[in-house]
Amino acid sequence: MPLSLLVAYAAPALLLAALYLPLFTYVTPFYAEERGVSLAALGVAWIVIRLFDAVSDPAIGWLSDRTPGRLGRRRTWLLISVPVIVLGVWQAFVPPEDAGLTHAIVWLFVLTVGWSMAQTPYAAWGAEVAPDYRARTTVTAWREALVLVGTVASTLLYVAGGQGGDGLAWIAIAVAVGLPLAVLLAFWRVPDPQVPPGAAAPAGLGWREGLAALGANAPFRRLIGAWFVNGAANALPASLFLFFVEHRLEASDDEAGLLFLLYFLAAVLGVPFWNWAARRGAKHRVWGAAMVYACAIFGAALFLGPGDVAAFAVITVLTGLAFGADLALPPAIQADVVAADTAETGARRAGIFFALWQVATKSALALASGAAYLTLDAAGFQATGDNDATALLALALLYAGAPIVLKLVAVWMMWGFDLDAQRLRALGAA
């Protein structure tokens, strides 16, 4: 596949990723610490927003599978999502001085709807552009590598802007300017494959029937289950990182920014390695090995305390390398599931597949982070004050202990996954 096409397709991922980490890592502490919003209320709000996603994401995926017109099924949705995202990010990241819980809920809701309008068709588009098992890994690796670059860039912007509300404002400006340009580049350079009439929606296969067909797909059920569990495992340290660094390690804001940067730089460096490994073995086994490796390293974080910033930096780099596998490999396996479904049924319904993928992604993140905030609140943890030993122990267990258990469950679920290059070739031949 031409390098120019890969870069053009992956470009929007950089700007969309600049939203993702701040949305779930910086925004909650900002509203809790600078606007005085209840941590428990924000946790409940995230859960409610994600419950709506369980409806909106499948609806968008189903509609994108059926969107007619010369502009393309996927490109059209990506294009119209831009103004929604730009408005939502500005209001959510640069709120008025008197903004409280209601403002946060409304605009975080708008922003996540815009995200759904972009992300679900965008992921489906990548699965359709790639022609085979190996190419799907390459396309996904490029997209997720730029996701990591965007995450690093947002971290640098946050620190350069002075963190807190000022840092979020810098991120909002970058997204408002850069996202329209990146989407236009992809729109111009990347084809949106046309499908024969009726291929996206065989006769009698409405959205309910489509969901039922996906539910009967055994590889999809296993993959999305493991993805949800692993997503919850990743969500806990992502949402609690600033609290852990500030209250458990007693590190400064500058040290927290540097640790964030180290983690995602290591993940960027890890993506080429995991892409190389997946081209020489089964993707699901490579992903499982990466998760086991991450668990072995991350367990050491349970034993860290005040002043252990250097030791945590080593853990951060080593686990960051594994995070590249979490980003690059599962979506590539999902694209294989879509290809197998097309080979078996003749239907082109990547949109609904990736819609449910987005539901699992965002639900895992919101439910895990929401439950973590509620648990911390019940343990007496204070985002703005001193915390006793019980509250700090709860923070450590949620940050480092629970993710290890969840990741090992995901490894168990995926180790016997049976959709590999050989089976896909057989399906294609048939």
Side-chain angles (χ1 to χ4, degrees), residues 8-72:
Y9 168 73
L14 189 151
L15 279 305
L16 291 171
L19 287 173
Y20 195 73
L21 181 75
L23 191 59
F24 293 101
T25 303
Y26 301 141
V27 168
T28 295
F30 163 70
Y31 278 100
E33 296 174 4
E34 298 190 26
R35 293 292 189 268
V37 177
S38 164
L39 196 62
L42 287 169
V44 172
W46 275 123
I47 292 173
V48 172
I49 289 171
R50 289 301 173 244
L51 288 175
F52 178 79
D53 281 340
V55 176
S56 64
D57 279 2
I60 290 170
W62 184 81
L63 289 170
S64 75
D65 282 339
R66 287 154 176 76
T67 300
R70 296 173 58 190
L71 296 180

Side-chain angles (χ1 to χ4, degrees), residues 113-361:
V113 169
W115 176 279
S116 296
M117 292 170 63
Q119 195 66 29
T120 298
Y122 179 54
W125 190 11
E128 293 168 339
V129 167
D132 57 39
Y133 184 83
R134 303 302 179 193
R136 284 188 285 274
T137 305
T138 301
V139 169
T140 302
W142 269 92
R143 184 181 67 222
E144 300 307 325
L146 286 197
V147 164
L148 292 169
V149 172
T151 303
V152 170
S154 69
T155 302
L156 292 173
L157 286 170
Y158 184 72
V159 173
Q163 306 191 35
D166 293 335
L168 289 173
W170 280 45
I171 295 171
I173 292 170
V175 171
V177 173
L179 183 61
L181 297 176
V183 169
L184 287 174
L185 173 63
F187 196 94
W188 167 65
R189 181 64 184 87
V190 184
D192 192 341
Q194 299 296 310
V195 299
L205 192 62
W207 68 270
R208 289 187 181 87
E209 293 82 358
L211 292 177
L214 267 60
N217 186 317
F220 177 69
R221 290 199 311 270
R222 176 176 290 199
L223 174 61
I224 202 167
W227 175 247
F228 177 86
V229 172
N230 184 64
N234 289 337
L236 289 170
S239 57
L240 299 176
F241 177 85
L242 292 181
F243 292 147
F244 184 84
V245 170
E246 178 182 352
H247 296 279
R248 181 80 177 184
L249 303 183
E250 298 181 1
S252 67
D253 289 343
D254 289 341
E255 288 172 325
L258 179 60
L259 290 167
F260 243 146
L261 185 61
L262 286 174
Y263 181 76
F264 288 105
L265 284 175
V268 172
L269 295 175
V271 168
F273 169 77
W274 298 115
N275 185 30
W276 172 84
R279 293 176 70 86
R280 286 156 179 79
K283 297 174 193 176
H284 64 282
R285 291 289 174 87
V286 175
W287 182 33
M291 288 190 282
V292 171
Y293 158 77
C295 291
I297 300 298
F298 202 50
L302 282 168
F303 305 99
L304 300 182
D308 292 333
V309 178
F312 186 64
V314 174
I315 295 171
T316 296
V317 171
L318 294 177
T319 54
L321 292 170
F323 187 57
D326 273 346
L327 288 177
L329 298 183
I333 301 171
Q334 165 76 337
D336 294 334
V337 170
V338 174
D341 177 73
T342 300
E344 291 176 332
T345 68
R348 305 285 184 100
R349 50 191 182 208
I352 191 66
F353 270 101
F354 277 97
L356 296 183
W357 187 260
Q358 293 303 321
V359 170
T361 301

